[in-house]
Amino acid sequence: MTNTSHAMPTATTTATVTNWLKSYYFTRAAFSIVWVAAALTVATTLSVVQGTLLLVYPAWDAVANLVDARRNGGVRHNPTQVLNAVVSGVTTVAVAIALRDGMNTVLAVFGAWAALAGLFQLATGVRRWKGLGAQWPMILSGAQSVLAGVMFLKQAGASEVPDIASIAPYAGFGAFYFLVSALWLTVSDVRRRRAAAIGN
């Protein structure tokens, strides 16, 4: 975990960061669940809604990563989150352009984004594990995102025209991993508090 300073994290600092991450992961899981629900219902028949959802997804990821970096030591000490935010911001613009060309191009953009974002998420999880632990869901999510990106790129080159439903499972798995991370941190926090109480 990137600490708020270069010193070893104190118990207070760890608790503060853990509380933030629990809220952060729950929020990201909730957003992804709502996005998937919209993508599989309303967005299947309304092209304007589809386009909006496809733009909102990477834009939200950019904002979320930037906020996460700023809340945990600042952007200078969280390069992977910042790079993730930059890639997601660029992806938002790229999707806006790709929408004019068609869903095959959009899926290709999402493929490149998923692969890069997955690498940065994996790196963030590995870095955070040193200070907090309980980051294995984020590491798995990052690795799976890379694989999904490769799959998207392959599908984008096919003759069949995809739709937003092709991306929904990717967002769904993202929601799952964020939820698992939040719950895992919650359980770990409860165990840590119980151990401290027994020790006192």
Side-chain angles (χ1 to χ4, degrees):
M1 169 63 202
T2 300
N3 304 317
T4 53
S5 67
H6 292 292
M8 292 298 291
T10 64
T12 301
T13 300
T14 299
T16 300
V17 174
T18 299
N19 287 335
W20 154 253
L21 283 180
K22 285 188 291 186
S23 299
Y24 176 70
Y25 290 153
F26 274 127
T27 300
R28 296 210 60 173
F31 173 88
S32 294
I33 290 170
V34 171
W35 191 93
V36 170
L40 294 178
T41 54
V42 178
T44 57
T45 55
L46 299 175
S47 60
V48 174
V49 177
Q50 278 196 27
T52 300
L53 286 173
L54 291 168
L55 288 169
V56 166
Y57 194 24
W60 158 254
D61 192 77
V63 172
N65 274 288
L66 188 58
V67 171
D68 184 31
R70 295 183 66 179
R71 286 292 299 268
N72 291 283
V75 296
R76 291 183 61 185
H77 301 304
N78 294 279
T80 53
Q81 289 102 309
V82 173
L83 287 172
N84 213 337
V86 171
V87 168
S88 296
V90 171
T91 298
T92 304
V93 176
V95 169
I97 298 173
L99 283 169
R100 303 175 182 177
D101 194 48
M103 275 301 299
N104 287 81
T105 305
V106 170
L107 192 61
V109 172
F110 263 81
W113 173 52
L116 287 173
L119 288 174
F120 293 135
Q121 184 176 353
L122 191 156
T124 299
V126 170
R127 189 160 46 84
R128 281 182 158 160
W129 197 318
K130 297 177 182 179
L132 288 174
Q135 291 296 302
W136 61 267
M138 289 293 94
I139 293 173
L140 286 178
S141 178
Q144 185 167 319
S145 182
V146 174
L147 294 177
V150 173
M151 182 183 69
F152 285 163
L153 289 170
K154 183 178 180 180
Q155 290 178 343
S159 57
E160 183 179 354
V161 179
D163 59 22
I164 197 170
S166 302
I167 299 170
Y170 168 71
F173 276 110
F176 170 76
Y177 283 119
F178 278 122
L179 186 58
V180 169
S181 294
L183 294 174
W184 196 272
L185 282 176
T186 299
V187 172
S188 298
D189 191 35
V190 170
R191 290 176 175 174
R192 186 164 46 246
R193 291 180 181 180
R194 287 180 178 176
I198 294 173
N200 293 332

